[in-house]
Amino acid sequence: MRLPLIRMGSGCVALALLAGASPAVAIEPLPASTADAMAQAASPQAMAEYRRKLKEYQEARAAFDEEAGAYWASISEKRKGRNAKRRERQTVTLDDYVLTQPPAYSGPNRPVSPEPEEEKPPRERKPLPVVADFLKAAAEQFQFTPERPSSELEFKRAYARYALAAGLTREQAIRVYSFETGGNGNYDMQSGLNPSKPGSRAISTAIGYNQLLTTNSVELLAEQGHELIKELTARAAPLSGAPRKAMDHKLAVLKKMVAFTRTVPDTWSEHEKLANTPQGWAVHAMVLDVDVGPMLQTHKLLTSVHFARAKGYNRPLTAAELEMMNLTGDGTGLDMVTMPQAMRDRVPTSNFFQRGGYERNPVAIRHDTVAKLLAVTDERMDFNSGKPGAKELAAAF
């Protein structure tokens, strides 16, 4: 707010009033509230200029929104057309994509009102649950505490064993870890929280090597729970004494969690509702368990591998291709993965986003074709694979 200039103008008016007053007339001081209002009032000229600029901005913005709306509507229509072609097993061609980049707003910025606006209270941000909340929920809802590894290396070794046995390649696991965690993430690392940065805050519920959200954990137990139960049952068989008792308890809790996740239809939206409950938080705590956590991290990627195979894509996915499916969802990611190299250089990344998601994604905007997006993903994987955490995971394989 430009209060010094406004106050100067009000001061001149006050001086003029004082100069024209008779010495015999007593000048009553203005009430503080009135004086403050006068000090902050904008001149008619300033308000007229503001309204002119505001009109220019609104007209430019309306024209842009109309253009952008048409563009994103065409993105949606092309996507529907591609999906229909794939259902009919028809070949998708360049004509099935929008080949121009999204329009960019180049008009004037919204002007600042010369009159001070009433300050609005900051929007209350709902706090995200963190690891401590997930652990508390597990104890309260299922009377269970995840078995934490004695060291980071123990978890990495457990992950490497299970990932290889389940069908992930060493390259896929290490390079996706390098991309998702920056090459140094721990098994219990939550997105946005960094122990070396005091005051950092969680930006999502994503945890671990492949950054599982609460909804991922619920969905994986609902869809892959039978595999996890089978694996834990086999591990329990040779045990005895206290270790067997602990494994049996873990197995019983896992069965209850799987049953809970299957109380709703198998859709992301329904799983998301469960994930936002105390029981859903408790399910997410299993990501921290040294037995179940590596399985969940593995299946997060394996679902994409199996999806590609089910759609007839039998060539092994590169780590960058797998990451595209991991980030954007299997259907959207496979759209990019199955695209011939010649088309990747021409198809804008906007074809694979909703407008809001695209405009909040500087990486997709800056690397604006499929080829560029895959290339920068590979570059980051290359760079982060040399960091200590990635090297330790590579050694675990």
Side-chain angles (χ1 to χ4, degrees):
M1 293 184 292
R2 300 171 183 172
L3 295 181
L5 290 177
I6 295 173
R7 285 195 177 118
M8 186 181 296
S10 301
C12 291
V13 173
L15 285 172
L17 288 172
L18 285 171
S22 167
V25 178
I27 304 298
E28 290 289 335
L30 292 170
S33 59
T34 304
D36 189 55
M38 290 178 63
Q40 296 188 39
S43 69
Q45 295 85 352
M47 285 304 301
E49 178 67 6
Y50 164 70
R51 293 190 184 100
R52 182 187 67 78
K53 290 182 177 179
L54 180 61
K55 183 181 179 184
E56 287 180 355
Y57 163 77
Q58 289 171 335
E59 290 174 348
R61 192 75 206 185
F64 166 74
D65 284 339
E66 183 177 356
E67 181 185 6
Y71 178 88
W72 288 101
S74 67
I75 288 284
S76 179
E77 286 303 310
K78 292 283 189 179
R79 183 182 297 119
K80 290 177 184 176
R82 292 196 302 275
N83 291 339
K85 271 193 162 186
R86 289 194 178 94
R87 284 194 297 270
E88 298 298 323
R89 299 190 179 279
Q90 297 176 9
T91 302
V92 174
T93 68
L94 271 177
D95 290 336
D96 297 307
Y97 296 92
V98 175
L99 299 181
T100 56
Q101 294 294 339
Y105 179 70
S106 58
N109 294 327
R110 186 183 184 94
V112 178
S113 173
E115 287 189 337
E117 298 179 358
E118 183 180 349
E119 290 189 11
K120 297 179 181 178
R123 187 173 64 182
E124 191 173 346
R125 183 181 298 177
K126 186 179 179 181
L128 284 167
V130 294
V131 166
D133 298 309
F134 304 135
L135 293 172
K136 183 171 181 285
E140 291 177 350
Q141 301 298 320
F142 292 94
Q143 296 72 55
F144 177 71
T145 300
E147 182 183 352
R148 310 290 285 271
S150 60
S151 66
E152 185 63 30
L153 183 56
E154 182 187 2
F155 196 96
K156 282 188 168 76
R157 285 172 174 164
Y159 175 55
R161 283 194 303 270
Y162 189 80
L164 282 177
L168 281 183
T169 68
R170 180 177 184 271
E171 180 193 28
Q172 287 170 334
I174 296 168
R175 289 176 69 78
V176 171
Y177 163 88
S178 299
F179 184 88
E180 289 281 356
T181 71
N184 269 326
N186 293 340
Y187 78 97
D188 58 354
M189 181 188 82
Q190 185 167 352
S191 180
L193 289 176
N194 189 335
S196 65
K197 293 182 180 179
S200 61
R201 295 188 304 182
I203 60 175
S204 83
T205 59
I207 292 178
Y209 298 166
N210 300 321
Q211 291 290 280
L212 275 72
L213 298 164
T214 48
T215 310
N216 290 127
S217 294
V218 169
E219 185 151 280
L220 286 169
L221 283 198
E223 296 176 352
Q224 309 297 330
H226 60 287
E227 289 289 339
L228 276 59
I229 290 170
K230 181 180 177 181
E231 176 70 23
L232 274 198
T233 301
R235 293 185 189 184
L239 301 177
S240 60
R244 176 61 184 262
K245 185 177 180 181
M247 186 64 83
D248 283 345
H249 176 60
K250 186 183 299 187
L251 187 55
V253 169
L254 180 60
K255 288 177 179 178
K256 289 179 182 178
M257 288 183 172
V258 170
F260 162 72
T261 63
R262 292 177 176 171
T263 57
V264 299
D266 186 12
T267 66
W268 180 267
S269 60
E270 291 298 321
H271 290 154
E272 188 172 34
K273 292 175 186 176
L274 291 188
N276 290 325
T277 66
Q279 296 98 317
W281 292 7
V283 167
H284 198 41
M286 274 295 189
V287 176
L288 307 171
D289 186 84
V290 71
D291 290 310
V292 181
M295 292 190 270
L296 290 172
Q297 295 288 350
T298 296
H299 281 285
K300 171 74 160 19
L301 301 184
L302 270 184
T303 52
S304 297
V305 173
H306 294 159
F307 181 87
R309 287 177 185 164
K311 295 296 182 180
Y313 191 79
N314 296 315
R315 181 178 65 77
L317 294 167
T318 68
E321 290 172 341
L322 181 56
E323 181 58 33
M324 284 302 102
M325 297 180 71
N326 191 34
L327 281 175
T328 65
D330 289 334
T332 300
L334 190 63
D335 195 352
M336 286 188 265
V337 167
T338 56
M339 186 180 297
Q341 186 62 48
M343 287 173 59
R344 292 182 180 185
D345 291 318
R346 296 188 57 188
V347 176
T349 55
S350 54
N351 282 276
F352 310 98
F353 288 85
Q354 302 292 333
R355 179 180 177 180
Y358 181 84
E359 291 176 347
R360 292 191 298 270
N361 192 322
V363 175
I365 293 172
R366 192 160 51 247
H367 306 280
D368 56 8
T369 65
V370 173
K372 290 179 183 177
L373 189 59
L374 286 167
V376 74
T377 302
D378 262 324
E379 287 171 13
R380 292 189 181 185
M381 287 176 170
D382 288 341
F383 180 77
N384 291 333
S385 291
K387 293 184 178 178
K391 288 183 176 179
E392 185 177 62
L393 180 58
F397 276 87

